[in-house]
Amino acid sequence: MYKVFGIVLIVVGLATLPKALSTSSGAEAFGAFIGVSIVTFLPACFLLMKGKRKEGKKEEGDK
């Protein structure tokens, strides 16, 4: 389930990134890029890592 939420957050981030970067000012675009990264990509990475850890523990328990 963590993988699904992580992938969904990445897709949402990629979908909103072009709209955020289309601002007229370079500083605004940079701020928007940082904001989108913090809100979508960072939690997605944590969720994907957590899903991988849980999968590893599950496989160790099966052995």
Side-chain angles (χ1 to χ4, degrees):
M1 195 68 175
Y2 292 112
K3 279 187 176 181
V4 173
F5 287 133
I7 292 171
V8 167
L9 280 174
I10 289 175
V11 169
V12 168
L14 289 175
T16 58
L17 198 58
K19 181 134 181 145
L21 294 178
S22 66
T23 60
S24 60
S25 169
E28 284 182 24
F30 185 68
F33 177 73
I34 290 174
V36 168
S37 297
I38 289 173
V39 171
T40 59
F41 297 129
L42 189 64
C45 290
F46 287 139
L47 284 171
L48 290 174
M49 286 190 306
K50 189 171 185 177
K52 190 180 288 188
R53 265 191 253 131
K54 288 228 182 222
E55 228 175 60
K57 285 182 182 179
K58 207 181 283 184
E59 288 175 2
E60 287 176 8
D62 292 340
K63 291 182 182 177

